[in-house]
Amino acid sequence: MRKFLVFAPAAFLFVSFAALSAMHAVAQEVAQTPPMGWNSWNYFAGKVDDKGVRAAADQIVATGMKDAGYIYVNIDDTWEGKRDENGVLHTNEKFPDMKALADYVHSKGLKIGIYSSPGPLTCAKFEGSYGHEEQDAKMYAEWGIDYLKYDLCGFRQIMDQQAPNDKAAQMKMMYEAYVKMGKALKAAGRPIVYSFCQYGWDSVWEWGPAIGANLWRTTGDIRPAWDSMYTILSQQEGLQGYAGPGHWNDPDMLEVGNGKLTPAENRTHFSMWAMLAAPLLAGNDLPNMTPEIKQILTNKDVIAIDQDKLGKQARRVYSEGEVDVWERDLAGDATAIAVLNAGSDRYSTHPFHLSLRKLGLHGPLKATDLWSGKEITLTEDMPLEIARHDILLVRIGRSK
Ligand code: GLA
């Protein structure tokens, strides 16, 4: 997959700048901070249905997640049925009435998202939007959809068929497919968050924002395992310049509460997605969430880092052994620092000295530990003991 990244987006500069800035202006109205909500895929995959989506919406309200900022309830793949003779796409038996479901989600003060592909088929081989972009966008707007995740998937087959062995031509086709749906959404006249999912191909962060992307996946799919989460995290280094209000790097949805992630791993995953100004889309089984997972997902101080209005994504300042130190600039001259132990040795706490100097800071500095809630003082070359896969996340300076 990564080999596609070498193709320069120069071939795409044929779109007029006036058209680009008009699309960009629309994109800027939504997602001024990284979108927060829930998505069905990571836990339910093909089992998502109307009942499950309503239950998720209910739980977002009941658990306090809505108050903490989680607003989008996003249906991923497998809601699609077949097209009728007029090309109108119907839902399948799991979703008897999408408009009624959208009304229900809206009645809770939440927003609703949906999923499609520019290809004839989605990743799970359901009906995609190929050749029906305007029709589908109009239908989403009529249903009251607020968010579209548009997943390349089946379109790769069209690229292969129409431009075999010509990667540059294929990338141009991909670009045009995203432009096409962007225009269709705009013409449909409803503010809809536009989420690109094409796994970071062709350095999407360089051209996605100009054609209306509010967020774009930067990698392949996440799995609920430390290695997957940490690999994706490491791949975000260098992309920090591309994120900002209205347009965000998307390292994929949260796996907090899924699989066998330990409490430390769940904390680290959530902390680092907040440092990355990533969309915070919970991907767990909300009705059966444990109090510990709820506590992680609703940590308001960590969410405040993610949603900070400057919108500046963190950068990795340095690594020493298996300890990584990340820094994020926050509004009001505040700073967040994350120190994480990626250690492979189960028993090691990696005794480690945090260098404020390397961070361009001078101790002593008062800071808040965002997981214990305690005030601490950071000093130069401060010895820290952080358990394997755990994190120290601190904020220096007041919350705004
Ligand atoms: C792709 C995406 C996933 C999910 C599935 C659905 O793999 O990257 O996030 O949407 O498709 O089929």
Side-chain angles (χ1 to χ4, degrees):
M1 267 190 201
R2 283 256 145 192
K3 67 177 187 286
F4 284 92
L5 296 176
V6 298
F7 289 97
F12 305 138
L13 293 176
F14 58 91
V15 176
S16 85
F17 279 107
L20 287 180
S21 45
M23 290 181 80
H24 203 205
V26 168
Q28 294 275 326
E29 286 163 17
V30 290
Q32 289 303 297
T33 58
M36 290 179 65
W38 174 85
N39 174 292
S40 59
W41 186 256
N42 281 356
Y43 185 82
F44 292 97
K47 294 205 175 76
V48 62
D49 61 7
D50 176 284
K51 202 162 147 262
V53 174
R54 285 172 195 252
D58 293 346
Q59 287 303 306
I60 286 175
V61 176
T63 56
M65 285 175 73
K66 179 185 166 196
D67 291 339
Y70 294 85
I71 293 297
Y72 290 97
V73 178
N74 293 350
I75 304 164
D76 209 280
D77 205 352
T78 80
W79 63 268
E80 310 88 339
K82 293 288 163 215
R83 291 192 189 273
D84 63 23
E85 60 280 9
N86 300 316
V88 178
L89 178 59
H90 294 267
T91 51
N92 61 39
E93 63 290 349
K94 297 189 297 162
F95 290 90
D97 186 342
M98 199 59 96
K99 172 83 175 79
L101 178 56
D103 289 348
Y104 182 79
V105 171
H106 288 149
S107 78
K108 303 267 158 187
L110 301 170
K111 294 179 187 286
I112 186 161
I114 209 156
Y115 167 100
S116 190
S117 171
L121 293 179
T122 65
C123 282
K125 305 270 187 287
F126 284 68
E127 194 75 22
S129 293
Y130 186 60
H132 296 275
E133 295 81 359
E134 286 82 10
Q135 201 170 17
D136 287 1
K138 212 162 150 272
M139 182 176 70
Y140 301 151
E142 282 162 9
W143 283 343
I145 296 296
D146 306 293
Y147 186 119
L148 173 69
K149 173 174 167 185
Y150 207 42
D151 188 350
L152 188 68
C153 250
F155 194 71
R156 289 179 296 188
Q157 187 195 329
I158 304 290
M159 284 157 43
D160 282 339
Q161 280 164 3
Q162 294 187 8
N165 306 318
D166 185 348
K167 291 294 182 233
Q170 291 196 359
M171 294 300 104
K172 183 164 178 281
M173 285 177 70
M174 175 175 74
Y175 175 90
E176 285 167 349
Y178 279 90
V179 169
K180 188 166 199 181
M181 182 52 101
K183 283 187 179 156
L185 291 174
K186 197 172 160 233
R190 187 180 168 85
I192 295 181
V193 173
Y194 192 18
S195 157
F196 287 22
C197 176
Q198 43 79 285
Y199 337 112
W201 285 7
D202 201 41
S203 306
V204 58
W205 40 87
E206 290 178 354
W207 49 268
I211 58 167
N214 297 118
L215 57 154
W216 50 87
R217 280 273 298 276
T218 54
T219 68
D221 290 10
I222 195 168
R223 285 177 296 100
W226 170 265
D227 286 353
S228 166
M229 189 280 291
Y230 185 72
T231 302
I232 289 180
L233 168 62
S234 304
Q235 289 169 342
Q236 307 313 303
E237 177 52 18
L239 301 187
Q240 57 270 18
Y242 298 97
H247 50 95
W248 308 100
N249 289 304
D250 175 7
D252 210 356
M253 304 167 297
L254 294 167
E255 292 283 15
V256 173
N258 286 341
K260 292 200 171 85
L261 291 174
T262 65
E265 291 170 345
N266 280 313
R267 256 193 312 275
T268 299
H269 178 18
F270 194 65
S271 302
M272 287 313 302
W273 263 230
M275 288 293 278
L276 293 172
L280 296 181
L281 296 171
N284 57 325
D285 178 10
L286 297 180
N288 294 303
M289 163 165 71
T290 64
E292 292 75 26
I293 294 301
K294 178 177 121 181
Q295 216 180 2
I296 291 175
L297 289 174
T298 56
N299 183 321
K300 293 203 167 121
D301 292 332
V302 179
I303 291 171
I305 303 288
D306 182 74
Q307 297 287 299
D308 184 81
K309 61 178 186 294
L310 263 192
K312 287 190 97 182
Q313 179 175 325
R315 69 198 166 99
R316 183 161 60 187
V317 180
Y318 72 99
S319 297
E320 207 175 284
E322 291 177 296
V323 178
D324 299 328
V325 182
W326 292 72
E327 185 270 342
R328 178 170 175 181
D329 294 341
L330 302 170
D333 281 332
T335 307
I337 296 169
V339 185
L340 84 92
N341 174 359
S344 40
D345 177 357
R346 176 180 304 267
Y347 303 103
S348 163
T349 50
H350 273 276
F352 168 80
H353 290 249
L354 175 66
S355 165
L356 293 182
R357 201 180 325 103
K358 285 188 184 162
L359 288 159
L361 299 170
H362 301 285
L365 278 172
K366 291 214 176 313
T368 312
D369 176 334
L370 301 187
W371 287 110
S372 73
K374 291 197 177 117
E375 299 302 315
I376 59 173
T377 302
L378 301 177
T379 52
E380 189 53 51
D381 291 320
M382 183 171 181
L384 293 175
E385 289 217 345
I386 298 169
R388 175 179 180 260
H389 295 182
D390 212 340
I391 194 162
L392 172 71
L393 178 66
V394 299
R395 177 185 193 112
I396 304 166
R398 273 206 306 275
S399 344
K400 285 278 154 182

